[in-house]
């Protein structure tokens, strides 16, 4: 082919070259989009490595023969009063209600983030009915076939979808899922703390009641001992030091009663705070009379 033939063939090939040149930027953009479609913003979460601990720190865990339900562990104690107190505390505690509200809020935010990944469609419709005045500048009444009353119908439909090229929506959904799990864990931890505090206060109140009675019994025994030593002193069989020693033991036992009473009162008041009611409404702990030496 001579140079003249090549020059004559260029106009026929020029449209194809120009078309390929126009498609080249579009192909580059499409290839970049396909390469980045699977890429997510930010690194993936990796759990921290486990800490190697020696086995001497704890005793081996004894596995129960069957499944153990710890959701209501206090029911296994067989104390109906404790069960009633814990149920009342869980129902009346405001912090637990706030935790439940935070869980609902986190779940709603998670649903909103998840909904952003789906196509969004909106529809609308309206009907307008109007009547034009016959006394206006346009003589509607004089125009044949033209009705003064008109009805206008309007209906619309819109749809949109955002392509998550860089994984921002996926990362937002992962964050929302983690936030829901965190709020649920916080609520569960708060529930466990409330149950533990009610059980601890109740055990303290009941334990101090038994301790009070035991101290009263020991005080009565020491009082009888003191009376016997005094009689022996009157008969000349004991010295003044023996009487003082017996009295000192009785006084020490008697001095421990206010501390027991204060601890019992504090436990009962703690129950009142946890249950949101006066202490007398849920717990009645009777105390025997305090004995006196003669």
């Amino acid at each position: 082919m001579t140079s003249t033939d090549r020059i004559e063939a260029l106009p026929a090939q020029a449209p194809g070259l120009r078309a390929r040149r126009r498609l080249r930027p579009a192909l580059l953009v499409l290839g970049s989009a396909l390469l980045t479609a699977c890429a997510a913003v930010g690194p993936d979460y990796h759990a921290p490595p486990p800490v190697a601990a020696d086995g001497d720190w704890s005793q081996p865990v004894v596995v129960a023969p069957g499944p153990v339900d710890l959701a209501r562990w206090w029911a296994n104690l067989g104390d109906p009063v404790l069960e009633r107190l814990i149920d009342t505390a869980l129902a009346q505690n405001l912090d637990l209600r706030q935790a439940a509200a935070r869980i609902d809020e986190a779940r709603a935010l998670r649903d909103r983030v998840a909904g952003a990944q789906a196509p969004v469609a909106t529809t609308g419709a309206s009907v307008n009915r109007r009547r034009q005045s016959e006394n206006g500048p346009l003589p509607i009444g004089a125009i044949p076939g033209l009705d003064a009353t008109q009805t206008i119908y309007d209906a619309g439909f819109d749809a949109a979808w955002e392509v998550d090229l860089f994984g921002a929506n996926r990362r937002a959904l992962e964050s929302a899922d983690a936030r829901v799990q965190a709020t649920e864990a916080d609520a569960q931890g708060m529930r466990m703390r409330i149950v533990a505090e009610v059980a601890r206060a109740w055990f303290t109140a009941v334990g101090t009641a038994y301790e009070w009675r035991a101290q009263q019994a020991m005080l009565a025994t020491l009082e009888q001992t003191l009376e016997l030593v005094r009689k022996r002193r009157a008969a000349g069989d004991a010295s003044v030091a023996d009487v003082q020693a017996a009295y000192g033991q009785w006084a020490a036992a008697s001095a421990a009663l206010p501390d027991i009473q204060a601890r019992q009162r504090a436990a009962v008041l703690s129950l009142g705070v946890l249950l949101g009611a006066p202490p007398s409404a849920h717990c009645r702990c009777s105390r025997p009379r305090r004995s006196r030496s003669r």
Side-chain angles (χ1 to χ4, degrees):
M1 182 181 293
T2 62
S3 59
T4 304
D5 297 335
R6 292 176 181 176
I7 294 174
E8 291 178 354
L10 283 177
Q13 297 177 359
L17 293 175
R18 287 195 296 268
R20 285 195 295 270
R21 289 174 181 175
R22 286 195 301 268
L23 290 175
R24 186 176 299 171
L27 292 175
L28 292 176
V29 173
L30 180 59
S32 300
L34 292 176
L35 289 176
T36 58
C38 298
V41 178
D44 294 333
Y45 172 77
H46 297 283
V51 179
D54 195 1
D56 296 335
W57 290 98
S58 61
Q59 295 291 335
V61 179
V62 179
V63 181
V68 179
D69 186 12
L70 299 179
R72 293 182 58 87
W73 57 266
W74 57 92
N76 298 325
L77 301 177
D79 191 343
V81 179
L82 178 61
E83 294 183 23
R84 177 173 55 84
L85 293 177
I86 291 178
D87 292 339
T88 303
L90 293 177
Q92 299 295 333
N93 193 273
L94 298 179
D95 294 336
L96 199 59
R97 293 183 182 180
Q98 292 178 358
R102 285 192 292 268
I103 292 177
D104 294 338
E105 180 183 3
R107 289 176 178 174
L109 292 176
R110 191 266 177 199
D111 294 339
R112 187 184 69 177
V113 174
Q117 295 184 348
V120 179
T122 58
T123 59
S126 63
V127 178
N128 295 324
R129 185 176 179 84
R130 62 185 180 180
R131 179 178 178 83
Q132 298 184 3
S133 175
E134 298 181 357
N135 298 324
L138 182 64
I140 298 177
I143 300 176
L146 182 60
D147 191 0
T149 302
Q150 298 178 356
T151 303
I152 301 175
Y153 300 93
D154 185 15
F157 174 80
D158 294 329
W161 181 53
E162 180 182 357
V163 181
D164 190 13
L165 292 179
F166 300 99
N169 293 336
R170 280 177 289 170
R171 292 302 190 196
L173 183 59
E174 292 176 2
S175 176
D177 290 335
R179 190 177 298 110
V180 171
Q181 295 177 5
T183 52
E184 291 177 349
D186 291 340
Q188 183 66 20
M190 184 172 297
R191 183 176 184 272
M192 294 174 62
R193 287 194 298 270
I194 293 172
V195 171
E197 288 296 326
V198 173
R200 183 189 63 81
W202 173 244
F203 293 155
T204 302
V206 175
T208 50
Y210 282 105
E211 186 178 359
W212 176 279
R213 288 192 287 268
Q215 192 72 13
Q216 283 281 357
M218 184 176 65
L219 191 62
T221 302
L222 292 176
E223 186 176 359
Q224 295 176 2
T225 303
L226 177 59
E227 186 65 22
L228 291 175
V229 173
R230 286 176 176 174
K231 291 180 178 180
R232 290 177 56 195
R233 173 70 179 88
D237 191 27
S239 62
V240 178
D242 295 335
V243 177
Q244 292 178 350
Y247 180 79
Q249 293 179 355
W250 176 89
S254 180
L257 291 177
D259 177 69
I260 299 174
Q261 181 180 0
R263 286 188 284 113
Q264 185 181 34
R265 181 63 177 172
V268 173
L269 292 177
S270 298
L271 284 175
V273 173
L274 292 171
L275 273 61
S280 58
H282 299 281
C283 180
R284 294 184 176 88
C285 299
S286 60
R287 295 185 299 270
R289 292 183 178 181
R290 180 176 175 179
S291 63
R292 299 179 180 179
S293 64
R294 295 189 298 269

